[in-house]
DNA sequence: CTGGTGACAGGAA
DNA sequence: TTTCCTGCCACCA
């Protein structure tokens, strides 16, 4: 059933991403039943409280990059959290999606 | 209601 | 390959 907004569904989709794997914004949108609305995923993640249990750090751009945002510290934190899970970044600071992308 | 914005993606050059 | 440009549409002021 449709709830208050699509944000809840997006959060639920992100929660399904297993540790050590990543999913793209577009991928999350599709799994949330919102194909083509990747931008909305970024919006939804931005609304998450800091103490949220949603693994927001496992969502990256279609190019395997940690998306830029207003607070650079968060970008660094995201990369750190992913590396702690075993995700590897290449020399250009990108994640090889062929190896780490979550195949739902 | 109207207009600006964005944690994107895909195609063009 | 990489960078640039455009379409997209829910949100917010």
């Amino acid at each position: 059933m449709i709830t208050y907004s699509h944000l809840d569904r997006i959060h639920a989709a992100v929660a399904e991403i297993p540790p050590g794997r990543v999913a793209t914004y577009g991928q999350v949108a599709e799994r949330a039943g919102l194909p083509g609305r990747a931008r909305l995923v970024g919006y939804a993640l931005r609304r998450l409280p800091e103490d949220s249990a949603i693994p927001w750090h496992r969502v990256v751009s279609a190019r395997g990059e940690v998306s830029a945002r207003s607070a650079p510290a968060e970008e660094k934190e995201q990369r750190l959290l992913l590396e702690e899970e075993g995700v590897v970044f290449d020399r250009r600071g990108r994640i090889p999606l062929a190896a780490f992308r979550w195949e739902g």
Side-chain angles (χ1 to χ4, degrees):
Chain A
M1 59 180 274
I2 309 274
T3 52
Y4 305 104
S5 71
H6 300 303
L7 304 188
D8 298 317
R9 306 184 67 184
I10 291 173
H11 293 162
V14 173
E16 294 178 39
I17 309 171
R21 308 306 293 282
V22 298
T24 67
Y25 291 88
Q27 193 179 351
V28 171
E30 198 167 323
R31 283 190 66 92
L34 302 165
R37 302 186 196 178
R39 304 194 69 151
L40 189 56
V41 174
Y43 214 93
L45 295 184
R46 192 160 186 265
R47 282 185 79 284
L48 288 174
E50 290 184 20
D51 59 359
S52 174
I54 303 296
W56 56 272
H57 59 284
R58 297 196 263 234
V59 184
V60 299
S61 76
R63 297 169 189 173
E65 304 173 303
V66 169
S67 295
R69 66 198 74 176
S70 58
E74 292 182 8
E75 297 173 30
K76 193 159 188 175
E77 182 188 356
Q78 179 171 9
R79 174 166 177 161
L80 182 60
L81 289 172
L82 287 174
E83 291 181 321
E84 289 178 352
E85 296 183 347
V87 175
V88 177
F89 286 72
D90 64 21
R91 203 169 300 181
R92 296 170 185 170
R94 304 189 316 189
I95 301 167
L97 293 181
F100 297 98
R101 174 167 172 151
W102 172 50
E103 304 298 346

